[in-house]
Amino acid sequence: MSRFYLTTPIYYVNAEPHLGHAYTTIVGDALARWHRLLGDDVKYVTGTDEHGLKIQQAAEAAGVTPQEFTDEIAPKFAAAWERLNISNDDFIRTTEPRHKAAVAELLQRCYDAGDIELDTFAGKYCVACEEYYADDELVTIDGVADCCPIHQRPVEYFEEENWFFRLSRFEDRLLDWYAAHPTALTPEHRGNEAIGLIKSGLRDFSISRTSLEWGIPLPWDPKHVTYVWFDALTNYLAAVGFGDGTDGYRDWWPVDYHLIGKDIVRQHCVYWPAMLMSAGVDLPKGWAIGGWLLSGGEKMSKTSGNVVDPLDLIDEVGLDGFRYYVLADTAYGNDGDFSIEGFTSRYNSDLANNLGNLLARVATVVAKKCNGTGTAPNPDSALAADAATAYADSAAQWDAVQPSKALDATWQLVRATNAHLEANEPWKAEPGPGVDAVMGDALEALRIVAVLVHPAMPDTAQAIWERIGLPGEVVDQRLPDAAAWGQYSPGAPVTKGDALFPRLT
Ligand code: MSP
């Protein structure tokens, strides 16, 4: 059995979970579920990033200690993921002892390698990014100079004696490594941006702060706390036991994919591999870089005030419809624009009119013409080839971390099955072997569709499974076997039930 280790970014707890966070977490969940269907031993980890100035300031504004503050917000992330049916295997908080141990270990290794040195630093810092900026990276907004290019608000001037990670030493090593691992960064256009960052020259970055207390002390100089990005990135190792005094983390490391947003490429694709090289730890196998979910053309974020609360939304539109929309509407890597109109139109076309309608039609005809009992598929059905293609194409797209394309490949089978029914019009025919054969094919196609949609819509997959009378759980099916044509067991009771996806107006 192969292992598959997958991570999301760990989210800052200065804001409550919003659609932007939900987006990456749902992509990760679908990918994790796909790999479980393949029989992989999966570890899917998410969590919260709880140290740093941004959190300290948010706690001060709320009139509580940073620990109280993070203890209040972190569970809201965990609860949101539960509500969104996220199947994470672990939830890591950077305030946990296991994480602090991993950070101390990684720091010490880089320090012992001679890649962390003391220096004085003066520069312009964006607290929202927790990042220093060079003058030529800053922008002028409404006549105000020196604004952060991401948050579009003024940066602050900081001067500190800091410990520096000698990133500049890693330029060639990183470029060589990426050249030797050309598929590590996906999709390609996002990967090229990361390579471009390295080629444009690397500056050493400070990995400690004396100006705040809310962080992990450096093992060799405890009046400094660890820079929040050095701290946060280490969660990926901490979650598999790095720093526990054993080499057990190697059972899971290197990670198969880090899912990240395009705004945190520098830290993940430049800083992080250099830190790992310095520490003598293997580099990740892959990074899958997503775009942003925009709302009215802007990144949805606490700072912009245009956040959509995913939990409010699913109360209105249903969980699986929401998950499907988020996965299907935007090619991973591109920006997507979230709107209720966009949601409604995709829901109506793909879910209400296509998948929902297919299930309803099949159940209705089976009730009327086959005594409510499922019939056998034809081994030579034309749909068998459509099913094989749907599986092969969706497998390739999940493998490439392209959920929208994987779902599109699955929907080719849904469409082909509807077309098969329309071509044969079993609702007009007399009951008998002809109708039985057409319906057996449709039921078998629905069985395969149920398995293939499970990663995106686990509850819907199970509902389809049960309505076509199959025993057990979709989650226990194993691919590729479960996608092979001809397994639907005739004689199963088919039930109609309410519409899976009532049309929205
Ligand atoms: N704490 C850091 C990550 C540390 S990982 C070692 C952080 N947190 S964040 O909460 O601000 O953002 C986490 C991720 O959520 C980023 O990848 C970011 O791109 C993603 N998103 C936040 N808002 C988003 C959208 N509106 N759309 C899509 N993703 C967005 O950065």
Side-chain angles (χ1 to χ4, degrees), residues 171-202 265-266 269-270 273 287 289:
E171 206 170 304
D172 291 343
R173 274 190 271 172
L174 286 172
L175 289 173
D176 289 349
W177 191 89
Y178 280 121
H181 300 83
T183 56
L185 300 169
T186 191
E188 203 180 342
H189 65 281
R190 294 273 172 230
N192 290 339
E193 290 169 12
I195 306 290
L197 286 175
I198 305 172
K199 288 192 173 151
S200 69
L202 298 182
V265 163
R266 178 188 300 277
C269 308
V270 185
W287 292 255
I289 305 161

Side-chain angles (χ1 to χ4, degrees), residues 40-58:
D40 289 349
D41 190 7
V42 172
K43 189 186 281 286
Y44 175 38
V45 180
T46 187
T48 42
D49 187 355
E50 306 189 4
H51 291 126
L53 192 52
K54 191 178 165 99
I55 309 300
Q56 184 172 298
Q57 288 180 347

Side-chain angles (χ1 to χ4, degrees), residues 8-15 18-25 47-51 54-55 77 94 128-129 151 228-236 258-265 267-268 272 290-295 298-302 306-307 332 334-336:
T8 72
I10 50 170
Y11 302 107
Y12 285 131
V13 289
N14 68 321
H18 61 65
L19 193 57
H21 305 130
Y23 174 58
T24 316
T25 314
T48 42
D49 187 355
E50 306 189 4
H51 291 126
K54 191 178 165 99
I55 309 300
F77 277 86
T94 57
C129 294
H151 294 91
V228 65
W229 270 105
F230 196 107
D231 166 340
L233 288 161
T234 310
N235 91 85
Y236 302 129
H258 288 314
L259 295 181
I260 59 171
K262 65 178 184 179
D263 51 333
I264 54 178
V265 163
Q267 293 87 349
H268 281 83
W272 180 230
W292 286 340
L293 219 45
L294 307 174
S295 167
E298 273 188 63
K299 181 185 178 215
M300 214 177 286
S301 72
K302 172 99 184 287
N306 60 350
V307 295
Y332 191 73
N334 294 352
D335 288 340

Side-chain angles (χ1 to χ4, degrees), residues 124 133-139 146-147 149 200 203:
K124 291 171 184 162
Y133 279 98
D135 285 337
D136 61 1
E137 293 173 315
L138 297 170
V139 294
D146 287 357
C147 289
S200 69
R203 280 192 297 268

Side-chain angles (χ1 to χ4, degrees), residues 99-403:
H99 176 77
K100 293 179 183 168
V103 172
E105 168 86 20
L106 195 69
L107 281 166
Q108 191 67 52
R109 288 200 191 195
C110 297
Y111 183 66
D112 292 346
D115 291 321
I116 295 180
E117 292 170 344
L118 198 60
D119 219 333
T120 301
F121 193 75
K124 291 171 184 162
Y125 193 78
C126 171
V127 175
C129 294
E130 297 276 13
E131 194 64 73
Y132 278 104
Y133 279 98
D135 285 337
D136 61 1
E137 293 173 315
L138 297 170
V139 294
T140 299
I141 305 288
D142 298 336
V144 180
D146 287 357
C147 289
C148 164
I150 293 177
H151 294 91
Q152 315 224 313
R153 62 184 207 193
V155 292
E156 293 173 41
Y157 182 79
F158 281 5
E159 191 174 314
E160 318 183 74
E161 187 180 64
N162 277 169
W163 289 93
F164 277 76
F165 180 77
R166 295 300 185 202
L167 184 66
S168 54
R169 295 178 187 158
F170 289 85
E171 206 170 304
D172 291 343
R173 274 190 271 172
L174 286 172
L175 289 173
D176 289 349
W177 191 89
Y178 280 121
H181 300 83
T183 56
L185 300 169
T186 191
E188 203 180 342
H189 65 281
R190 294 273 172 230
N192 290 339
E193 290 169 12
I195 306 290
L197 286 175
I198 305 172
K199 288 192 173 151
S200 69
L202 298 182
R203 280 192 297 268
D204 298 341
F205 68 96
S206 111
I207 56 106
S208 72
R209 299 284 183 271
T210 47
S211 53
L212 86 160
E213 282 167 19
W214 182 237
I216 302 174
L218 297 186
W220 63 89
D221 188 358
K223 64 179 189 300
H224 288 254
V225 300
T226 311
Y227 169 47
V228 65
W229 270 105
F230 196 107
D231 166 340
L233 288 161
T234 310
N235 91 85
Y236 302 129
L237 281 171
V240 291
F242 182 83
D244 69 0
T246 75
D247 270 344
Y249 77 94
R250 290 212 179 130
D251 291 348
W252 290 98
W253 195 263
V255 62
D256 289 273
Y257 274 113
H258 288 314
L259 295 181
I260 59 171
K262 65 178 184 179
D263 51 333
I264 54 178
V265 163
R266 178 188 300 277
Q267 293 87 349
H268 281 83
C269 308
V270 185
Y271 294 2
W272 180 230
M275 288 157 59
L276 295 170
M277 279 178 178
S278 170
V281 176
D282 288 343
L283 267 51
K285 289 187 213 159
W287 292 255
I289 305 161
W292 286 340
L293 219 45
L294 307 174
S295 167
E298 273 188 63
K299 181 185 178 215
M300 214 177 286
S301 72
K302 172 99 184 287
T303 331
S304 319
N306 60 350
V307 295
V308 176
D309 183 335
L311 304 185
D312 290 349
L313 205 65
I314 61 176
D315 285 343
E316 271 173 55
V317 303
L319 173 58
D320 276 357
F322 170 69
R323 287 177 57 113
Y324 177 79
Y325 170 70
V326 163
L327 291 165
D329 209 56
T330 304
Y332 191 73
N334 294 352
D335 288 340
D337 202 9
F338 179 87
S339 70
I340 294 295
E341 299 73 33
F343 171 82
T344 307
S345 102
R346 185 167 275 280
Y347 172 102
N348 281 340
S349 68
D350 294 3
L351 299 178
N353 297 352
N354 254 306
L355 180 59
N357 190 33
L358 173 62
L359 181 68
R361 273 168 147 179
V362 169
T364 305
V365 177
V366 171
K368 285 200 184 133
K369 315 259 166 167
C370 314
N371 297 322
T373 319
T375 51
N378 174 358
D380 305 319
S381 170
L383 281 180
D386 294 304
T389 307
Y391 171 69
D393 290 354
S394 54
Q397 295 298 347
W398 284 115
D399 201 41
V401 196
Q402 284 299 332

Side-chain angles (χ1 to χ4, degrees), residues 412-440:
Q412 300 291 359
L413 178 57
V414 175
R415 286 187 276 266
T417 311
N418 268 321
H420 182 70
L421 292 178
E422 272 146 31
N424 289 286
E425 298 187 314
W427 41 84
K428 288 189 181 160
E430 288 303 313
V435 172
D436 288 356
V438 173
M439 298 322 292

